[in-house]
Amino acid sequence: GSPTTSETTSDCLVGDIMYSNGDSIGYIGKTCTDDVSFTGTESFCADGEIVDQVYSGNCETQSSGTQCCQSGKPGEWGAATCVAINSCTEYVEPSSTEGTSSCLLNGITYNDGTVITYPGDTCTDDVNYSGKESTCIDGEIVDEVYTGNCETDNAGSTCCQSEPPGITGAADCIAAGEECTEWEDNSSNQDMTTTDIDDTTDPKGNNAFYNGPGFMFGVLLFIHFFAVYFV
């Protein structure tokens, strides 16, 4: 029944609905007690305030042909619902280990043990590729290399290196007959700048003409002609 109220009463506004003092605003299930029964909370308007009371319900009574489904953690709001028979997805308590915790990555929370696989980054041959795989372990993100096979992922597909190796998503599996725009390494084709080297300069920077044997031979030849014609 409705809760006891004082002589001074007032209505309750919930959303855009006005409830009179003593009205039931609604109930919500929390815990299934058997196949059709559940407990939860019923809310009332009392002196302008919303108050909650323990509620016991029966799915068969409320809607024939339904059962109680513990779709959430027992005791939580909305965790017990009445659904069509054989259509319940039961709540399963997640396994936990002392000291473990979830991981936050790019604004998303992952439970301990969750594996996050990224697109391939490097084709290792026509069908195989490698990429990065992250695992949430005790609150830390651990990265590991994983290998994949386009044929296994999609029969008849091949690996296409569309961007430089090592970039996430650079290795794509494309269907048979689909054209691959293959990435090309053009760094080796760049114009090479060379420095002209004076052929009279040896690798040590010395002038080969003045310091080499050719210069000495010329000096001796000059002395020989000088001696023959002028002496």
Side-chain angles (χ1 to χ4, degrees):
S2 301
T4 302
T5 60
S6 62
E7 293 182 359
T8 303
T9 62
S10 59
D11 298 334
C12 303
L13 181 64
V14 180
D16 57 356
I17 301 176
M18 184 68 73
Y19 292 90
S20 298
N21 182 62
D23 283 353
S24 172
I25 297 171
Y27 65 87
I28 188 166
K30 294 182 178 181
T31 305
C32 291
T33 54
D34 57 35
D35 289 344
V36 294
S37 302
F38 63 92
T39 58
T41 298
E42 186 173 13
S43 300
F44 292 90
C45 173
D47 294 336
E49 299 290 334
I50 306 299
V51 295
D52 294 331
Q53 290 187 346
V54 175
Y55 176 82
S56 295
N58 183 289
C59 290
E60 273 285 355
T61 302
Q62 294 169 7
S63 180
S64 179
T66 61
Q67 69 178 66
C68 187
C69 176
Q70 192 70 58
S71 55
K73 185 176 182 179
E76 293 186 350
W77 283 68
T81 55
C82 293
V83 300
I85 294 175
N86 298 325
S87 64
C88 174
T89 302
E90 288 282 349
Y91 168 77
V92 178
E93 186 75 31
S95 59
S96 60
T97 305
E98 187 176 353
T100 62
S101 58
S102 58
C103 304
L104 183 64
L105 179 65
N106 297 328
I108 302 175
T109 300
Y110 295 92
N111 293 328
D112 185 69
T114 301
V115 178
I116 309 110
T117 301
Y118 298 88
D121 54 45
T122 305
C123 290
T124 52
D125 57 33
D126 289 344
V127 294
N128 294 301
Y129 61 90
S130 61
K132 186 178 76 170
E133 198 170 63
S134 299
T135 306
C136 175
I137 301 176
D138 292 340
E140 298 289 335
I141 294 292
V142 179
D143 294 332
E144 294 181 345
V145 174
Y146 80 95
T147 56
N149 182 286
C150 291
E151 275 281 359
T152 303
D153 297 342
N154 186 16
S157 63
T158 57
C159 190
C160 174
Q161 190 74 53
S162 57
E163 295 183 66
I167 297 177
T168 299
D172 302 313
C173 289
I174 60 173
E178 186 177 343
E179 184 178 353
C180 171
T181 304
E182 195 79 34
W183 173 79
E184 295 182 7
D185 185 0
N186 296 320
S187 60
S188 60
N189 298 327
Q190 295 178 353
D191 293 336
M192 297 184 65
T193 303
T194 58
T195 304
D196 292 335
I197 301 176
D198 187 346
D199 57 6
T200 62
T201 304
D202 65 18
K204 294 183 178 180
N206 301 318
N207 192 295
F209 179 77
Y210 294 105
N211 296 322
F215 174 73
M216 296 302 297
F217 177 76
V219 171
L220 293 174
L221 189 62
F222 173 76
I223 294 174
H224 172 74
F225 280 106
F226 182 82
V228 170
Y229 292 100
F230 296 99
V231 177

